[in-house]
Amino acid sequence: MAIRRILGTRRGALGTILAASLALAAPASAEEVVNVYTTREVALAKPLFDAFAEKTGIKVNAVFVKDGLAERVKAEGAASPADLLMTVDVGNLMDLVDQGVTQPVTSDVLSKAIPANLRGANGEWFALSMRARVAYASKDRVKLSAITYEDFADPKWKGEICIRSGKHPYNVALVAAYIVHHGEAKAEEWLKGVKANVARKPAGGDRDVARDILGDLCDIGLANSYYVGLMRSGKGGPDQEKWGAAINVIVPTFQNGGTHVNISGASVAKASPNKANAVKLLEYLVSPEAQAIYAQANYEYPVVPGAPIDPIIAAFGPLKVDQVDLVAVAKARKAATDLVDKVGFDN
């Protein structure tokens, strides 16, 4: 039975289903299934699930949820058919843990494949891919080979920075990482400095930063790495290809630190009826084959050291991942959001 029908009478107002029940080709017995709830896009997730099903014969029933993932699983309780919960942003993973809808698992495969700072110490969450918060800079007007996140508050950039809302999860996580590095007082000072340098009201999306650099509205901005792959590959259309061609990418670091990354990841659901298959899927997702799909389909950085990176992303140069505790970053999100409001960053 398709999982959509299984859940049809339970979901109520608990989140928005965009698409459900991918009918995967691999035949499987009634026991050989794994039920996945995910906020990831179909275009990325389906190739991964198809490849896993073909390799193992385990059918993947996927429910694509736009929001309310943790609340949905919590409301379903012990009757939930969910086995694996996949989402983006470390904060969303922490929400799953905090809502009590995950369970710890032990796997030598996962422990060996994923660096310790990219998985929960107790095995309740695992990063599967990374996206870095990088600088987009005008090819014509900015001559830089390196920059720090702290530099974005330098008055020399006054009127030259484009950035999306400070309340967007990408920027909230960056501010939270800044708090972990420097403390709230320094983070507030930095946010005021960045706000003083913006060329326009923080808004739009990351790709709009490249668009506005091409349009000479600003010279530099902060945005995610994988959008550059989407733009330069032409997948987003000819206009976005021009935006991507107009910028250089500089991979910033924190002073005395590394580059801020956020993650996609997964947890085994607390009530998982197919736990063994959920762990098998997790282990597949950190295999060389699956890590290559993450890199090719969505231009994300693999979490497994040495796994291939798409050439567009590899051209940015080496990625030195910041080693701050991602759990600490997730816990600092509330303070980060409060600072964004306090300094009126989006006003």
Side-chain angles (χ1 to χ4, degrees):
M1 179 182 291
I3 195 168
R4 187 177 188 174
R5 295 197 298 273
I6 295 173
L7 300 174
T9 58
R10 299 177 182 159
R11 62 191 183 193
L14 297 170
T16 303
I17 295 179
L18 295 182
S21 300
L22 289 179
L24 300 177
S29 67
E31 292 75 27
E32 291 301 311
V33 299
V34 59
N35 302 321
V36 181
Y37 286 12
T38 180
T39 61
R40 301 240 58 183
E41 296 292 333
V42 176
L44 170 69
K46 189 174 186 301
L48 291 164
F49 298 159
D50 285 350
F52 173 73
E54 183 176 355
K55 195 176 191 72
T56 65
I58 299 171
K59 183 179 180 182
V60 181
N61 295 317
V63 175
F64 291 88
V65 180
K66 184 176 180 181
D67 51 32
L69 176 60
E71 292 78 7
R72 177 191 181 99
V73 181
K74 185 175 182 180
E76 291 173 351
S80 174
D83 295 307
L84 193 66
L85 311 174
M86 295 177 62
T87 188
V88 295
D89 191 280
V90 64
N92 291 329
L93 282 172
M94 293 305 104
D95 285 343
L96 293 172
V97 175
D98 292 343
Q99 293 273 7
V101 299
T102 65
Q103 62 173 301
V105 297
T106 301
S107 163
D108 288 342
V109 172
L110 295 171
S111 298
K112 290 177 181 176
I114 305 172
N117 64 315
L118 297 175
R119 52 184 162 85
N122 61 354
E124 289 207 49
W125 62 271
F126 300 90
L128 300 173
S129 64
M130 299 183 294
R131 58 276 301 273
R133 203 76 180 141
V134 298
Y136 293 179
S138 168
K139 277 186 176 177
D140 297 329
R141 302 184 298 277
V142 177
K143 306 302 178 185
L144 278 180
S145 58
I147 192 169
T148 67
Y149 294 108
E150 289 84 351
D151 288 339
F152 281 85
D154 190 317
K156 74 178 183 181
W157 295 115
K158 189 172 181 61
E160 299 296 348
I161 292 177
C162 284
I163 191 168
R164 72 193 307 165
S165 167
K167 293 182 180 179
H168 189 277
Y170 296 161
N171 284 333
V172 169
L174 176 61
V175 175
Y178 203 102
I179 291 172
V180 173
H181 272 280
H182 299 297
E184 286 190 39
K186 291 288 186 183
E188 180 178 347
E189 182 182 338
W190 177 73
L191 266 180
K192 288 178 178 176
V194 177
K195 174 179 168 58
N197 289 340
V198 296
R200 56 161 169 74
K201 183 177 179 178
D206 280 2
R207 278 173 278 201
D208 294 339
V209 173
R211 179 200 64 193
D212 289 345
I213 289 173
L214 174 62
D216 201 11
L217 185 63
C218 47
D219 280 353
I220 197 167
L222 280 163
N224 273 357
S225 51
Y226 69 96
Y227 287 117
V228 181
L230 296 171
M231 289 188 288
R232 288 184 180 171
S233 67
K235 290 183 178 178
D239 285 345
Q240 291 190 20
E241 199 168 358
K242 293 177 184 175
W243 305 346
I247 60 169
N248 280 324
V249 175
I250 308 168
V251 182
T253 62
F254 282 105
Q255 293 172 355
N256 302 315
T259 298
H260 171 66
V261 298
N262 210 324
I263 60 172
S264 74
S267 297
V268 174
K270 184 176 182 178
S272 169
N274 305 289
K275 179 181 177 180
N277 288 346
V279 174
K280 286 179 182 177
L281 178 53
L282 264 177
E283 292 176 344
Y284 171 75
L285 292 173
V286 296
S287 68
E289 177 182 336
Q291 289 286 288
I293 293 174
Y294 275 110
Q296 293 165 3
N298 208 41
Y299 304 96
E300 296 179 273
Y301 286 99
V303 293
V304 177
I309 300 171
D310 183 89
I312 294 175
I313 306 302
F316 302 164
L319 176 68
K320 178 187 174 186
V321 177
D322 201 25
Q323 294 299 302
V324 296
D325 183 358
L326 284 180
V327 175
V329 173
K331 290 181 178 177
R333 287 179 303 150
K334 174 64 166 59
T337 302
D338 289 346
L339 281 186
V340 169
D341 288 336
K342 185 177 181 180
V343 306
F345 190 81
D346 288 353
N347 298 339

